[in-house]
Amino acid sequence: MSEISIVQEHNLSPEQARDAAQQVAQRIATEYGLACKWDGDVLRFERSGVEGALTLEDQRAAMRIRLGFFMGAFAPAIEAKVAEKMRKVFVPA
């Protein structure tokens, strides 16, 4: 099992950070067929072979993704795409 961990610092308000997290979730949900749901300040997502969470904290967003055996082969590409999306959306408009 592969694990990806990405931390993105930000200066967004809690509402802006939640909107940014939702954008990241929509992208990965569409691209990887994930089901997403909020649990307080944690956005959880999963599908067969993939599970993870995007946790919103005061000035940072922390993403943790666990990939099963098959999806583990795609870990570097998945990490690069998610990190890039997080960099783009966790900046003030």
Side-chain angles (χ1 to χ4, degrees), residues 21-63:
Q22 192 64 45
Q23 288 180 40
V24 173
Q26 287 173 335
R27 165 89 186 252
I28 63 175
T30 300
E31 207 161 309
Y32 300 105
L34 300 171
C36 303
K37 74 173 187 172
W38 283 99
D39 182 11
D41 286 337
V42 179
L43 181 60
R44 300 190 188 284
F45 50 89
E46 67 180 324
R47 68 160 252 200
S48 178
V50 180
E51 70 158 19
L54 175 55
T55 304
L56 297 177
E57 299 171 0
D58 285 336
Q59 298 297 302
R60 66 185 222 146
M63 172 84 76

